[in-house]
Amino acid sequence: MKPPRFEYAAPRALDEALALLGEHGERAKVLAGGQSLIPLLNFRLAHPEMLVDINRIADLAYVRAADGGVAIGALTRQHVVERSEALRAQVPILTEACRFIGHAPIRHRGTIGGSLAHADPASELPAVMVALEATLTLSRARSTRTVPADGFFVGPLATALEPRELLTEIRVPALPRRTGGAFVEMARRAGDFALVGVAALVTLDGGGRCERARIALCGVGPTPIRARAAEDALIGQAPSVSALDEAAARAAAATSPPSDVHGSAEFRRKLARHFTREAIAEAARRAGGS
Ligand SMILES: Cc1cc2nc3c(=O)[nH]c(=O)nc-3n(C[C@H](O)[C@H](O)[C@H](O)COP(=O)(O)OP(=O)(O)OC[C@H]3O[C@@H](n4cnc5c(N)ncnc54)[C@H](O)[C@@H]3O)c2cc1C
């Protein structure tokens, strides 16, 4: 099928894009990498009257140091995130997760902002940003606000973004010393969306006990799920088999997976348990534990 008719604008400056979004409000849609939006248009599942193409706004594509952490412009392509040496050094879990997104040509067009704004419950990056406690900058003409990643995803394909707002930046705070991270997932074929994905960050104290844990899952609920009870189970514990089993069981209990042709809810819950255990074990190992 062909997309419905729409007006098209390709501003070169952020101000211009925000003015267009302000003027057209709910009738406008932002076009970034197009890897999700173009199919939606072609299937006529989206009917914008105005498409604001942000691809020419070079100021929205960057990776830079900020407040001890890192700031990533929303238009940064997923393959740039994947290849960035700075990100690999500071937040290697992000590099690791990007490799699971579709295939290389998709990551060459797809943007980090597009992936977060699209908010597919099975997407890797939303879960990783929740685990990293990233903050998202949402801009509109004459104002900006920041939203924690945990509060940004409100339902399947639904976010806190309001009409007239553009996601402009993602800020990832510095990780504490002795933190290891791991992203693991299970998909039916390489490049497919995850049946379940788990992002785990574990910080160990000098004695090898867990002093901080952040765990988020994708594919097993309407939004990324932060598994706080699982995190609590790890605090003060050495990463033993029993501690990992308890945390994994708690993470699985926090999920509300769908049943579909790819797998039943029960199957996905079992996967969540297994892969949470695996992600925590690997994160703890990378943090310097055994
Ligand atoms: C075959 C295939 C396999 C894929 N596999 C995966 C996968 O395994 N994992 C995965 O996570 N994704 C996967 N994707 C999706 C891909 O990651 C997309 O790149 C991503 O979902 C959207 O990013 P985009 O830049 O292409 O955004 P677009 O398609 O341009 O936009 C997506 C949505 O976000 C909005 N939007 C985009 N940027 C902004 C912004 N800055 N501010 C506000 N709103 C914005 C748009 O208006 C639109 O509603 C796959 C896609 C394909 C085609």
Side-chain angles (χ1 to χ4, degrees), residues 21 28-40 51-52 54-55 60 74-78 100-103 106-107 109-120 122-126 138 152 161 165-168 185 191-194:
L21 292 175
K29 265 255 171 244
V30 174
L31 175 67
Q35 298 303 295
S36 299
L37 183 55
I38 297 294
L40 287 176
L51 211 55
V52 180
I54 59 172
N55 282 278
L60 279 179
L75 192 64
T76 310
R77 308 285 165 189
Q78 293 152 7
F100 288 100
I101 302 174
H103 303 279
I106 291 153
R107 300 196 293 271
R109 287 301 303 164
T111 64
I112 187 166
S115 178
L116 300 176
H118 188 59
D120 190 306
S123 272
E124 292 82 4
L125 295 183
L138 312 184
F152 180 71
L161 269 166
E165 280 184 330
L166 185 70
L167 169 58
T168 46
E185 82 167 40
D192 279 4
F193 277 94

Side-chain angles (χ1 to χ4, degrees), residues 9-48:
R12 290 182 181 274
L14 177 59
D15 285 358
E16 214 185 313
L18 296 178
L20 281 161
L21 292 175
E23 182 186 339
H24 294 276
E26 286 177 357
R27 298 186 306 278
K29 265 255 171 244
V30 174
L31 175 67
Q35 298 303 295
S36 299
L37 183 55
I38 297 294
L40 287 176
L41 289 171
N42 286 343
F43 284 116
R44 302 206 168 197
L45 295 170
H47 305 87

